[in-house]
């Protein structure tokens, strides 16, 4: 499941876009999310994009941070 639909026209370096996509795939797989229309997918994608814009370009760390935040907010 690509992160591209969540970029809303934002432009990124191709490598950054690839890294964000990998992190997004990893996070969705870890949370067993598959529905593209799922609000959780959008929240995860937006957070990965925010973290990448802030300078994080390691897909493992992007995924870890998003999973940690997502799980902390889940009941």
């Amino acid at each position: 499941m690509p992160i591209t639909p969540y970029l809303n026209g934002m432009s990124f370096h191709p490598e950054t876009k690839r890294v964000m996509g990998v992190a997004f795939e990893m996070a969705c797989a870890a949370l067993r999310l598959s529905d593209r229309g799922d609000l959780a997918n959008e929240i995860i994608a937006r957070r990965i994009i925010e973290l990448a814009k802030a300078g994080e370009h390691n897909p493992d760390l992007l995924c870890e941070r998003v999973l940690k935040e997502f799980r902390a907010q889940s009941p």
Side-chain angles (χ1 to χ4, degrees), residues 5-55:
Y6 302 102
L7 295 179
N8 296 324
M10 289 182 271
S11 180
F12 289 94
H13 185 277
E15 178 61 12
T16 301
K17 191 173 173 181
R18 185 193 70 77
V19 166
M20 289 189 303
V22 169
F24 181 63
E25 293 286 336
M26 291 168 45
C28 288
L31 295 170
R32 296 188 175 123
L33 299 174
S34 60
D35 181 10
R36 287 180 187 244
D38 192 330
L39 180 60
N41 290 8
E42 184 175 344
I43 292 168
I44 291 166
R46 285 185 181 177
R47 187 61 183 134
I48 287 171
I49 293 165
E50 288 173 12
L51 291 169
K53 284 169 64 176

